[in-house]
Amino acid sequence: PLPGDKLAGFITRGYGVSIHKADCPNVLESRKNEENLARWVRAEWEKSAEESHQDVYEAAIQIVTEDGIGIIAGISNILLDMRVSISKISNTPLKNGDMQINLVIGCKNTAHFDSIVARLRSLPKVISISRRFSN
C-alpha cells in the first residue's frame, strides 16, 4: 500500500497484524469467509506518513499500449524525468497486437502515483494504465 490508500489490518496467527490495501482482491475474498471477519481490524496511515516526501514505497502499475518502437523508452524517459525508480519491468504481447507492460515503481504516496499516471497517459499509443496488486 501507498500512503493515502485505505487500509485494512488482518490479525494473523502468530505473526501480529498484516496490513493490506482495503480493496485488494485477497482482502475482499477473505472477508467473504465468516470465520475471518473478526480477524479484520481498522488500520490507518499516520498523518506523517501520508505527508512524507522522503519515504518511497513500491507500487505495481500495468500499462497497455499499442505496440511500437520506443514505447518502453518513452515510459523510461518520463520516469527518469520525474526521478521515479523502476525496480521491475516486464512486457507481454497481447493477442490483439497491443502490448502489456508491468512495472514496479517507487512512489511516495497516492498523490505522487496519480501524477506519475497522468504523465504516462500523455504518451502516444497508451491505451490504459491501472494500478496492480503485487503478491
Side-chain angles (χ1 to χ4, degrees):
L2 296 174
D5 283 336
K6 292 185 189 290
L7 301 176
F10 185 75
I11 301 170
T12 66
R13 292 189 172 99
Y15 297 101
V17 176
S18 64
I19 302 297
H20 301 266
K21 195 168 180 285
D23 60 352
C24 170
N26 294 336
V27 171
L28 301 175
E29 189 62 32
S30 176
R31 286 186 168 169
K32 292 178 184 176
N33 183 337
E34 288 260 341
E35 72 183 49
N36 287 340
L37 284 179
R39 296 173 65 191
W40 285 102
V41 295
R42 183 180 167 151
E44 294 180 359
W45 286 97
E46 287 185 24
K47 284 293 178 197
S48 61
E50 287 186 37
E51 297 165 359
S52 172
H53 295 287
Q54 295 177 358
D55 295 330
V56 175
Y57 301 84
E58 285 192 342
I61 187 169
Q62 181 180 83
I63 305 171
V64 176
T65 70
E66 297 173 20
D67 197 4
I69 295 172
I71 298 293
I72 293 176
I75 292 168
S76 296
N77 286 335
I78 284 177
L79 296 176
L80 174 65
D81 183 54
M82 295 183 76
R83 300 182 57 86
V84 172
S85 64
I86 302 171
S87 57
K88 293 180 187 174
I89 185 168
S90 66
N91 66 299
T92 305
L94 301 175
K95 290 180 182 178
N96 65 359
D98 294 336
M99 182 170 32
Q100 177 180 303
I101 303 165
N102 295 304
L103 302 159
V104 176
I105 58 174
C107 285
K108 298 172 185 172
N109 52 40
T110 54
H112 185 218
F113 181 84
D114 291 343
S115 70
I116 293 166
V117 169
R119 287 281 303 275
L120 291 171
R121 284 191 198 285
S122 71
L123 283 169
K125 300 189 178 192
V126 167
I127 297 168
S128 67
I129 300 177
S130 58
R131 179 142 171 228
R132 308 307 296 172
F133 295 93
S134 52
N135 292 339

